[in-house]
Amino acid sequence: WGNHFTSRDMLSARLAFSSAACALAAARGTAAVGSTRSIHWWLRDEHKKFERRAPLTPAQTAVLIADGHKVTVERSKTRIFADAEYEAVGCEMAETHSWPSAPKSAVVFALKELPDDGTPLKHTHVYFAHCFKGQSGAKRLLERFRAGGGKLFDLEFLHTPGTDVRVAAFGHMTGYAGAAMAVLVWAQQRLRPGVPLLNVKPYENESALIGDLQSAIRTVGRQPSIHVIGASGRCGSGVQRLCTELELKDVALWDRQHTQRGGPFPEAFQRDIFLNTIYLTTPIPPFITKEILRTPGATKTSVIVDISCDVTSKHNPLPIYDAITDFAAPTVRIPAAGRDLDLVAIDHLPAFLPRESSQRYAHDLFPYIRAFGIPKHALSTTWTRAEELFVSKKKEVLSS
């Protein structure tokens, strides 16, 4: 327990120190990134329920201000960083969800989706839009950008220059949180049979979460067994860290070499928990089907966590459910032979641990935020490619 606490505190301290040191350097004039027009960054309060993460920490906004930019932060009752922390470093504060009335030149920055209200979008937006891979609602959203003349830089498609590697991702924390949620659901099934897990609250830190998971496993009297597909990826690394910290013994780690023959894979659904962590851009045969799950003796899994959560995409390898879940009701019951089978499909799992998730993500993304609007910056092609993708996808989707 002590080792878990120490390692996580060291990570948080290192990230916080890095941001604070950068802010101090910028204030002294030593962290300038090149001359450019001032950007008005507008940190929007998230519209998505239960979302507490932020893509900019207070220390990072201090750096942007020192670089000569303006930062407006919408007040929030849920964001993991307090309004006062942003005010203390010089951010202008605005009312919650007031971004539609922000100056047209403002760059509206957040993580999760906008309200689906059909209004034209005139601003430049930076967030996870989930509209470039055939998701439902994509055409309606892109039509709003066309109507308002705004731009979209989708965080999912910001790549390091010359590569297809994402500059920052929540993958590790998504896998970590998804595995934790799986253990909670598994324990609930055994300790309170027939009673679904409801109203799960975010944890202030990983140490508190690990403590609760360890207690639940002790109460059940045995460890869960786990099967992971995509174990070597970012999400998979988070799953593996959670399993290591809980000292779980029966963990099957599958990667491409295990799935290249094509599914279904009923043998991957023989342990207590199954986690899908792969990132797909093309359709593949399903990992499992409704028919196999309903076949007596074919599978044993009682908890499935679809970390990839592409339920509305044609690329979904788990075509056994049709709607995402949330922290109020994390599971949906799936028909299965001889047992209860619960599926988790929360599309913002890192919000389960908002502080560590925000710190990790913001730390990796921030060099690119500072490069925004600087054409000659070494990282500027990341933004150029993202804009080109938006233009091409908008044309493709709206002409279909």
Side-chain angles (χ1 to χ4, degrees), residues 86-358:
Y86 290 101
E87 286 186 277
V89 297
C91 297
E92 293 189 5
M93 305 304 293
E95 291 305 307
T96 300
H97 302 158
S98 60
W99 61 267
S101 61
K104 187 176 180 181
S105 60
V107 179
V108 182
F109 190 19
L111 291 175
K112 301 304 290 183
E113 61 265 24
L114 298 169
D116 187 13
D117 58 12
T119 57
L121 297 170
K122 65 181 180 180
H123 296 98
T124 293
H125 286 264
V126 181
Y127 72 108
F128 287 101
H130 301 299
C131 65
F132 291 166
K133 296 193 298 180
Q135 293 96 331
S136 63
K139 190 169 187 175
R140 187 167 59 253
L141 175 61
L142 292 172
E143 178 57 48
R144 294 172 65 191
F145 277 102
R146 180 167 66 179
K151 294 180 182 179
L152 167 64
F153 293 93
D154 194 313
L155 289 169
E156 183 178 353
F157 297 94
L158 296 184
H159 297 135
T160 58
T163 78
D164 289 324
V165 178
R166 289 168 64 177
V167 303
F170 284 103
H172 180 86
M173 292 303 298
T174 303
Y176 188 92
M181 184 69 71
V183 174
L184 288 176
V185 174
W186 170 83
Q188 177 80 3
Q189 290 175 336
R190 279 142 190 84
L191 298 176
R192 302 189 68 190
V195 180
L197 185 68
L198 298 173
N199 298 315
V200 177
K201 304 299 183 185
Y203 279 80
E204 287 298 317
N205 54 65
E206 292 177 4
S207 296
L209 172 61
I210 288 293
D212 281 357
L213 295 177
Q214 290 173 327
S215 176
I217 291 172
R218 283 194 300 268
T219 304
V220 171
R222 72 171 180 88
Q223 293 186 342
S225 56
I226 292 181
H227 198 118
V228 189
I229 289 186
S232 64
R234 276 174 165 160
C235 288
S237 71
V239 173
Q240 290 195 58
R241 180 164 70 93
L242 191 282
C243 292
T244 298
E245 293 181 358
L246 293 178
E247 300 180 344
L248 302 184
K249 301 297 190 295
D250 187 357
V251 180
L253 305 175
W254 275 25
D255 281 308
R256 189 185 301 271
Q257 67 270 26
H258 300 94
T259 60
Q260 59 185 359
R261 64 176 171 83
F265 305 109
E267 66 270 31
F269 293 81
Q270 302 303 316
R271 289 174 171 80
D272 295 315
I273 293 169
F274 173 87
L275 297 111
N276 170 39
T277 72
I278 67 169
Y279 177 82
L280 285 176
T281 57
T282 57
I284 63 171
F287 292 159
I288 198 69
T289 66
K290 294 179 181 178
E291 292 71 26
I292 293 175
L293 290 175
R294 291 175 178 145
T295 302
T299 59
K300 299 177 181 177
T301 296
S302 67
V303 180
I304 295 174
V305 179
D306 187 8
I307 290 175
S308 299
C309 212
D310 276 332
V311 61
T312 64
S313 171
K314 59 187 177 183
H315 303 155
N316 180 21
L318 293 174
I320 58 174
Y321 71 108
D322 57 11
I324 63 171
T325 61
D326 57 31
F327 290 106
T331 64
V332 59
R333 182 60 52 87
I334 304 296
R339 69 193 184 283
D340 289 340
L341 173 57
D342 291 318
L343 184 142
V344 176
I346 298 174
D347 65 357
H348 58 137
L349 278 166
F352 198 30
L353 289 160
R355 184 171 298 277
E356 287 96 342
S357 295
S358 297

